[in-house]
Amino acid sequence: MGAVLAVTVPFFALVLAGYLAAQRRLLPEAAIPGLNAFVLYFALPAMLFRFGAGTPIFDLLNPAVLVVWIVCALLIVFVTIAFTLGPVHLKDAAFGALVAAFPNTGFMGVPLLAALLGPAAAGPVISAVLADLFVTSSLCIALAQAHDASGHGARDAALKTLRGTLANPLPWAIAAGAVFSVAGLSLPGPLDAVVKMLADAATPVALFTIGAVLWRAGQHAHTRTPPAQYLPVAAIKLFLHPLLVFAVGAAAVRLGAPLTAFQLTVLTLAAALPSASNVSLLAERYGADNGRVARIILASTAAAFVTFSLLASVLGTQARTA
């Protein structure tokens, strides 16, 4: 447990630092979108490119990993909507399902799991990032728009989301890294140094940004959400999601799927991460109840320090020795 806390405490401390810096106006609110843009368009793509270039292509796009992750994400989405629909309408239920099924694998998961389990953990996590960007997000936003009276809302929203995903630099950075991995290429010295500097900045700035974004989302919330409408969704994220990934993955292994114990451990821990902080920006853009989404993310992030650390202490040693 001490070894796990030595890794997780600094990660969550940086999230808290970002939250407090924004709350106390040490970081102006107007600067938060720029900080987020630096992470999304520069630092994180550089980090993912380096991980992709150093990871075998089958680890980046392992079909067994992708199938297990997508099946579990779909189950979590529909379970969450079924559980919450009624007290909230479909749009808010769909965005609640998105934060229940979409962990913070990009900003937090890749560096955290690589630090805990070694660089080999990056492959399964990057597969999860791709699956959530292309499948989970598109599905939930399409469901959120399904109430459109024209009947084309869901389809148009799904296509719009897919176009947005293709405009996102993260999949392209992963793809570029995969090309370099397959071809055995390397960047020229000065360019490699630039990419390395940006990649080294990704983890601390991304974690700091998570905290700042969480504070900003709370400031832009226009409703007071009862705990009964957000705490159960945070519990689904932190408890049901990793349990489901572990159970489905173990069943897949018994059926002969090419999924190693190490990959299953990485996926389980990835599912145990808190909700992706940037979903609050999506909820705000699509007119959903951003206050509810922000509270789910904040609750899952605060609780994940304990729940994730405990699970990592149980599974981490087994993974390192597998």
Side-chain angles (χ1 to χ4, degrees):
M1 187 64 178
V4 170
L5 289 176
V7 176
T8 58
V9 166
F11 273 73
F12 284 91
L14 281 172
V15 175
L16 178 61
Y19 187 94
L20 293 176
Q23 181 188 54
R24 299 184 181 185
R25 302 301 198 274
L26 296 174
L27 176 70
E29 182 177 350
I32 296 173
L35 200 61
N36 194 61
F38 169 76
V39 175
L40 182 61
Y41 289 96
F42 294 93
L44 196 55
M47 184 185 73
L48 291 176
F49 171 82
R50 286 177 61 84
F51 273 119
T55 304
I57 185 64
F58 186 72
D59 290 341
L60 287 176
L61 299 172
N62 186 322
V65 168
L66 289 168
V67 169
V68 167
W69 188 264
I70 290 172
V71 166
C72 293
L74 296 180
L75 288 172
I76 289 294
V77 165
F78 289 112
V79 165
T80 306
I81 289 177
F83 181 75
T84 57
L85 194 60
V88 300
H89 56 68
L90 180 59
K91 179 180 286 188
D92 291 334
F95 272 100
L98 182 55
V99 287
F102 194 166
N104 210 331
T105 42
F107 278 37
M108 178 181 283
V110 175
L112 176 55
L113 291 172
L116 277 172
L117 304 175
V125 185
I126 290 173
S127 291
V129 171
L130 291 172
D132 284 332
L133 286 174
F134 283 99
V135 179
T136 313
S137 296
S138 298
L139 172 65
C140 289
I141 292 176
L143 290 172
Q145 298 297 299
H147 67 283
D148 192 327
S150 68
H152 300 292
R155 184 189 64 187
D156 292 345
L159 291 174
K160 181 180 177 182
T161 304
L162 183 58
R163 287 194 296 269
T165 301
L166 292 174
N168 188 314
L170 303 188
W172 297 108
I174 294 167
V179 169
F180 271 65
S181 174
V182 171
L185 300 174
S186 59
L187 293 172
L191 182 57
D192 185 61
V194 171
V195 172
K196 182 179 184 302
M197 290 171 69
L198 286 171
D200 289 344
T203 299
V205 181
L207 295 171
F208 191 87
T209 302
I210 290 172
V213 167
L214 287 175
W215 175 84
R216 181 185 180 278
Q219 292 300 110
H220 286 260
H222 301 297
T223 58
R224 294 182 63 85
T225 307
Q229 291 188 14
Y230 67 88
L231 289 180
V233 180
I236 289 172
K237 173 78 224 60
L238 297 180
F239 297 101
L240 182 58
H241 193 193
L243 178 62
L244 184 62
V245 168
F246 183 81
V248 171
V253 171
R254 292 192 190 96
L255 292 173
L259 189 69
T260 67
F262 178 81
Q263 290 167 333
L264 180 55
T265 295
V266 173
L267 289 181
T268 303
L269 289 175
L273 290 165
S275 303
S277 56
N278 278 358
V279 176
S280 64
L281 304 178
L282 277 176
E284 185 178 332
R285 182 186 309 166
Y286 282 91
D289 185 351
N290 189 42
R292 176 173 176 265
V293 169
R295 285 171 175 81
I296 295 168
I297 298 170
L298 184 59
S300 70
T301 302
F305 172 66
V306 176
T307 59
F308 178 86
S309 297
L310 287 172
L311 185 60
S313 68
V314 172
L315 298 180
T317 302
Q318 300 173 7
R320 282 190 294 268
T321 57

